[in-house]
Amino acid sequence: MIPMLDLKREMNLIGEEIDKAVKSSLKETRFILGPNVESFEKEVAEYLGVKYAVGVGSGTEALHLALRALGVGEGDEVITVPFTFIATAEAILYCNAKPVFVDVDEETMNIDVTQLENKITEKTKVIIPVHLFGNPANLDEVIEVAKKYNIKVLDDCAQSFGAEYKGKKIGSICDVSAFSFFPSKNLGCYGDGGLITTDDESVYNTLKALRNHGSFTRYYHEMLGFNSRLDDIQAAILRVKLKYIDKLNNDRIRIANLYRDRLSDFVKIQAENDNGQHVYHQFTIVSEKRDLIQKRLQEHEIASAIYYPIPVHLQKSFSKLGYKKGDFPVSEKLAEKVVSLPMNPFLEDEEVEIISSVVKNAVNE
Ligand SMILES: *Cc1c(COP(=O)(O)O)cnc(C)c1O
């Protein structure tokens, strides 16, 4: 069986260090906003090249609190893409704001910047580009439009830890950035966790209160806040894993190149942004024969997954917004034709060869 992701192989590499880190956090017993959280926030901010980092309870909460810190509320519109994980858009609804979708570009699968300006109204407050599958979105174009209309940019970096755009790390470029440490992400912890980064001191201060019941001083509550904190044990784990992230991302990139070499004549592959470094959270192909490819992979005990089978605007939980089939044709088409192949830093070259040949044979049937 070849799984999508194999965290057991990761344990072989870093298990001992993780044991030590968890034990030291247990010994310290400062589990909420403890010393590892503070150290991790400093270390990760330095890695990303950004002034401030705030650890929160999940990637979803990172998006939600970031929107609140940017002042998004009832009556506001927030622009994002329909071809993403549901959390990107859920966060907008949590703020009682309205999600406004811009379709994605068929090649890069990221926001189609040519359609962006049309969607801006007087109510638009924030744009959320998503770096889908680890592929950086065209941030310069998004930021240019945002500046013109005095709108903020919050990028969803959940799948793109370590990715770069024009020589800068993703997470250091927009007004605010949101990351997830869900275990399967490029930088994942062993539970739920998330992070918000910014260079803006006042946004940073607001975020620190928002994650902690709206309080700067204990039992004095300045605003409606939440309980959403990265916990100390997870931060201890992340401090270990941060040391390995470049190596692990480089392994993903190497594996993606191998896949690309074997498969590019047979299937379409998500196009990399020429101005950036994709970090291959997922390796995603597009084929008319998607279902057959999945069936053949399964027969060979090879996992595969569809990210995402239903675009956000057609999800039941978003039906109130009144979108219908045909509204975002590229996202809808991708939802019908994409399939992601096993991708993780521990995949062996022979496994990539086997997977590639099963895909190739399925396409040639
Ligand atoms: C994983 C993910 C999230 C949510 O992160 P959680 O930590 O699971 O809450 C948000 N957006 C995207 C694009 C994701 O992939």
Side-chain angles (χ1 to χ4, degrees), residues 93-210:
L93 290 185
Y94 296 161
C95 298
N96 299 313
K98 182 182 168 200
V100 173
F101 296 111
V102 172
D103 211 349
V104 294
D105 170 71
E106 194 167 340
E107 308 302 318
T108 63
M109 304 184 188
N110 282 327
I111 189 165
D112 180 354
V113 288
T114 66
Q115 298 188 42
L116 174 59
E117 201 164 350
N118 285 339
K119 297 295 175 85
I120 288 174
T121 72
E122 280 177 358
K123 293 178 182 167
T124 311
K125 200 122 187 206
V126 175
I127 304 168
I128 312 182
V130 181
H131 310 292
L132 199 71
F133 307 141
N135 194 26
N138 279 324
L139 290 182
D140 273 1
E141 286 86 341
V142 173
I143 290 168
E144 193 186 316
V145 173
K147 283 219 167 104
K148 186 168 161 190
Y149 296 93
N150 203 14
I151 294 166
K152 298 289 184 192
V153 182
L154 155 65
D155 52 343
D156 182 338
C157 310
Q159 303 184 356
S160 58
F161 194 96
E164 290 177 6
Y165 177 75
K166 296 195 174 171
K168 283 186 184 167
K169 284 270 184 278
I170 290 292
S172 70
I173 301 165
C174 298
D175 296 293
V176 188
S177 303
F179 289 90
S180 163
F181 301 130
F182 186 84
S184 67
K185 303 289 157 97
N186 288 35
L187 180 66
C189 58
Y190 296 155
D192 275 310
L195 187 82
I196 308 163
T197 57
T198 184
D199 280 331
D200 184 324
E201 193 180 356
S202 99
V203 168
Y204 169 65
N205 285 326
T206 306
L207 287 168
K208 286 218 295 188
L210 280 173

Side-chain angles (χ1 to χ4, degrees), residues 2-3 255 259 262-263 293 297 300-304 341-343 347-361:
I2 305 179
I255 291 161
Y259 266 134
R262 297 293 184 272
L263 289 174
I293 291 171
L297 286 169
H300 288 83
E301 300 204 304
I302 299 166
S304 64
L341 304 178
M343 168 53 82
L347 210 56
E348 283 165 14
D349 289 8
E350 305 88 84
E351 293 175 314
V352 177
E353 298 291 353
I354 294 166
I355 298 163
S356 301
S357 70
V358 173
V359 171
K360 202 162 89 181
N361 291 339

